[in-house]
Amino acid sequence: MNGDLVVVDDVPGAFAARVVDAFREREGDAFSIALSGGGTARRCYERLAVDGEDAIDWWQVDVYWGDERCVSLEDPDSNYRLGREALLDRVGAANATWPMRCDEGAEPYQLRVGELGRFDVVHLGLGPDGHTASLFPESAALEATSGRLVVINDDPLGHNPHPRMTLTFEGIARAHLVVVTVEGEAKADAMARVAAGDPTAPASRVQGGHVVWLVDPAAASRL
Ligand code: 6PG
């Protein structure tokens, strides 16, 4: 696997601390973060809203998404809605939010990420099938052509609902810091595959300026 493995009991707390540190160490005033979906992400954002309330000037933060389900932004399955509920509505501010809009296709987001250049932080989760963002096993996005930062994708094996928009591995690699948060026994097999560099587990291909895996003992139990 690429990056540093940190086994920690309190994954949301460790996530919040890493984001606060990244904000403090940012170059210039602006700060960009790409959010993830999933239950682990929700817990991480609820904690970041508390632990980062005073440490982060949210008026300096540009909020992106690493992937999105192709549903209404108000749909309960929307990662934008998750980010709003768990973080943005709680901190009450952001310099800008950049939701992924499937109905526009991938090009506008590709251009936006291209203009941004680098993310300060990209947050990712890990699926039990070894996916991260919406980079699913055997999916077309795994072989995106060079230069593609954002694509439309889906899960050909049918384990994950909805068509998606997602950063590609090249898009993720635009991050100064990639934080992958993994909790629970259900992720132990996927985590072991990633740690072994199993290429059929897409998350084992994640790269970035610095990649850190925050993994609880249950998810690390087969390492
Ligand atoms: C998504 C997420 C996805 C998620 C993992 C882990 O849109 O579904 O981006 O990559 O991070 O599936 O999700 P859990 O934390 O719910 O296990």
Side-chain angles (χ1 to χ4, degrees):
M1 67 188 275
N2 303 303
D4 301 327
L5 173 68
V6 179
V7 179
V8 59
D9 289 324
D10 179 8
V11 168
F15 168 80
R18 295 285 176 146
V19 174
V20 167
D21 287 349
F23 181 81
R24 286 181 174 141
E25 294 158 12
R26 74 196 185 283
E27 293 173 12
D29 292 334
F31 182 78
S32 56
I33 183 169
L35 302 183
S36 172
T40 308
R42 183 181 292 276
R43 291 188 290 276
C44 287
Y45 303 149
E46 291 170 348
R47 183 66 173 276
L48 178 61
V50 174
D51 293 2
E53 183 172 14
D54 298 328
I56 295 175
D57 175 1
W58 291 95
W59 290 114
Q60 299 288 353
V61 180
D62 292 323
V63 182
Y64 294 79
W65 275 260
D67 70 323
E68 181 59 281
R69 290 86 177 282
C70 294
V71 295
S72 156
L73 296 182
E74 299 314 312
D75 188 296
D77 283 353
S78 164
N79 291 344
Y80 170 80
R81 176 169 169 173
L82 185 159
R84 280 217 71 87
E85 288 176 346
L87 181 61
L88 298 176
D89 291 349
R90 295 167 188 247
V91 298
N95 178 57
T97 57
W98 299 93
M100 287 180 160
R101 299 178 185 276
C102 291
D103 56 355
E104 294 178 354
E107 284 314 311
Y109 222 85
Q110 163 87 19
L111 291 171
R112 176 84 285 271
V113 174
E115 287 164 5
L116 175 68
R118 306 273 291 175
F119 293 106
D120 288 288
V121 176
V122 169
H123 179 211
L124 300 172
L126 176 67
D129 59 357
H131 82 261
T132 193
S134 288
L135 300 169
F136 303 115
E138 302 181 36
S139 68
L142 303 184
E143 306 310 325
T145 53
S146 174
R148 289 303 313 178
L149 305 174
V150 182
V151 294
I152 299 294
N153 200 36
D154 65 16
D155 178 358
L157 304 180
H159 300 310
N160 298 276
H162 308 301
R164 308 288 184 100
M165 187 181 299
T166 185
L167 294 179
T168 60
F169 291 118
E170 196 169 335
I172 291 168
R174 290 292 188 96
H176 286 298
L177 172 64
V178 179
V179 183
V180 193
T181 53
V182 191
E183 289 183 302
E185 173 75 24
K187 306 296 177 70
D189 281 341
M191 196 63 233
R193 291 172 59 208
V194 167
D198 178 352
T200 68
S204 64
R205 294 173 55 185
V206 164
Q207 304 206 11
H210 177 204
V211 182
V212 62
W213 295 75
L214 303 178
V215 183
D216 75 357
S221 59
R222 298 196 187 123
L223 297 184

